[in-house]
Amino acid sequence: MFRYLIRRLLQMVLTFFGATFIVYALMFANQTDPIQALAGERPITDSQRLALTERYHLDEPFLGQYWHYMKGLLTGDFGISLTNRKISEMMADAWPVTIRLALIAIVIVAIVAIVAGVISGIRRGGTFDNVTLVLTLVVLSMPIVVLAPLARLVFGIQLGWFPPTATRDAGFYELLLPALVLGSLVVATELRVTRSAVAENLRSDYVRTARAKGLTRQRVVGVHVLRNSLIPVVTLIGVDLGNLMSGAIVTEGVFNIPGVGFNLFRAIKTEDGPLVVGFVSVLVIVFLMVNLLVDLLYAALDPRIRYE
């Protein structure tokens, strides 16, 4: 296990540097004029432009800019955004609300996908299975850019069931509708995967053996079938986290939630390269750590899996 962890950590380091380099290149290599983009239509004096250019090393080659950024990042300094705010302070304000939103979405996804998937797998071909199939296809066919404004208009404004916007200190109820919208990105996929895994495991030899030994149906499904069926679902959690974070850009923008996605969208729009790279760097770290945790959970769910 120790050697496996060392190998994975080395892979994570290489992945982190590769991902940050690509994002940095996309933001800075072909950048037109971020200083003017930030100012909009307002004129910028030559002295202001010179000072900002020196502060952000915009007059240096691309590799020089990347070196200055990584040197600060490795020492815990995320730099200063083009709005003259410390990126670390902006992260401290944005991350708590995004974490709450993602956790609520993940809990909703896990409950709905596992419960509905198990029922569909047990009663495959039945009415419940067919209804969930139609609903998942409808959800999958609606992109988040359509679903989020529609949900806000119908359930937040017209019906008034949920608040149409959420603040930085939003609680569970304010974040429930955005979490439902955000979770819809992945709940349909996980539901179908759970359903397929349950249906396949119910036809396995070990299930027939357990039934022959006289075990109850609840114990066979709850202990044996469910445990093996959760392995592909757990596999999707790491990927789904990335989908939730990317979907949060649209969701937080629609519901005016001042989280990570909202700040990323605004930074991309204003060509605020330091802010974009800073937030994406933390997202890469979170994504890598979650995938490592998912791999370690394999051994807990399936005793046949051992990391040597």
Side-chain angles (χ1 to χ4, degrees), residues 213-252:
K213 289 182 177 180
L215 296 180
T216 62
R217 182 180 180 86
Q218 290 79 6
R219 181 171 178 80
V220 171
V221 175
V223 177
H224 300 283
V225 175
L226 183 59
R227 182 174 181 178
N228 289 282
S229 300
L230 285 179
I231 295 177
V233 178
V234 171
T235 307
L236 291 175
I237 291 178
V239 180
D240 289 344
L241 180 62
N243 293 333
L244 292 178
M245 293 300 179
S246 61
I249 297 178
V250 178
T251 305
E252 291 182 357

Side-chain angles (χ1 to χ4, degrees), residues 79-280:
I80 300 176
S81 70
L82 296 182
T83 58
N84 203 29
R85 290 187 60 190
K86 287 187 177 181
I87 297 178
S88 58
E89 295 179 355
M90 300 178 70
M91 288 183 179
D93 293 336
W95 269 106
V97 62
T98 298
I99 291 176
R100 291 198 301 270
L101 178 63
L103 287 177
I104 295 174
I106 289 175
V107 171
I108 293 174
V109 167
I111 295 175
V112 174
I114 293 176
V115 173
V118 170
I119 297 175
S120 297
I122 295 175
R123 303 176 180 178
R124 60 184 183 277
T127 303
F128 185 85
D129 186 25
N130 294 327
V131 170
T132 55
L133 175 60
V134 174
L135 292 177
T136 52
L137 291 176
V138 171
V139 173
L140 288 173
S141 64
M142 297 184 65
I144 191 68
V145 294
V146 175
L147 186 60
L150 184 62
R152 180 176 181 267
L153 175 63
V154 175
F155 299 105
I157 298 177
Q158 293 183 349
L159 297 179
W161 292 354
F162 301 95
T165 59
T167 61
R168 185 175 59 189
D169 301 323
F172 175 79
Y173 181 67
E174 290 183 75
L175 295 176
L176 183 57
L177 182 59
L180 290 171
V181 174
L182 190 60
S184 66
L185 289 172
V186 297
V187 67
T189 303
E190 291 197 5
L191 192 154
R192 302 311 300 175
V193 170
T194 305
R195 183 261 184 198
S196 300
V198 170
E200 180 181 356
N201 285 313
L202 284 174
R203 296 191 295 267
S204 300
D205 294 334
Y206 71 87
V207 172
R208 287 192 289 267
T209 302
R211 289 174 176 172
K213 289 182 177 180
L215 296 180
T216 62
R217 182 180 180 86
Q218 290 79 6
R219 181 171 178 80
V220 171
V221 175
V223 177
H224 300 283
V225 175
L226 183 59
R227 182 174 181 178
N228 289 282
S229 300
L230 285 179
I231 295 177
V233 178
V234 171
T235 307
L236 291 175
I237 291 178
V239 180
D240 289 344
L241 180 62
N243 293 333
L244 292 178
M245 293 300 179
S246 61
I249 297 178
V250 178
T251 305
E252 291 182 357
V254 171
F255 290 92
N256 295 321
I257 303 174
V260 174
F262 182 83
N263 282 274
L264 272 176
F265 176 78
R266 185 175 57 184
I268 294 173
K269 186 177 180 180
T270 58
E271 297 186 17
D272 194 339
L275 185 60
V276 173
V277 180
F279 272 100
V280 172

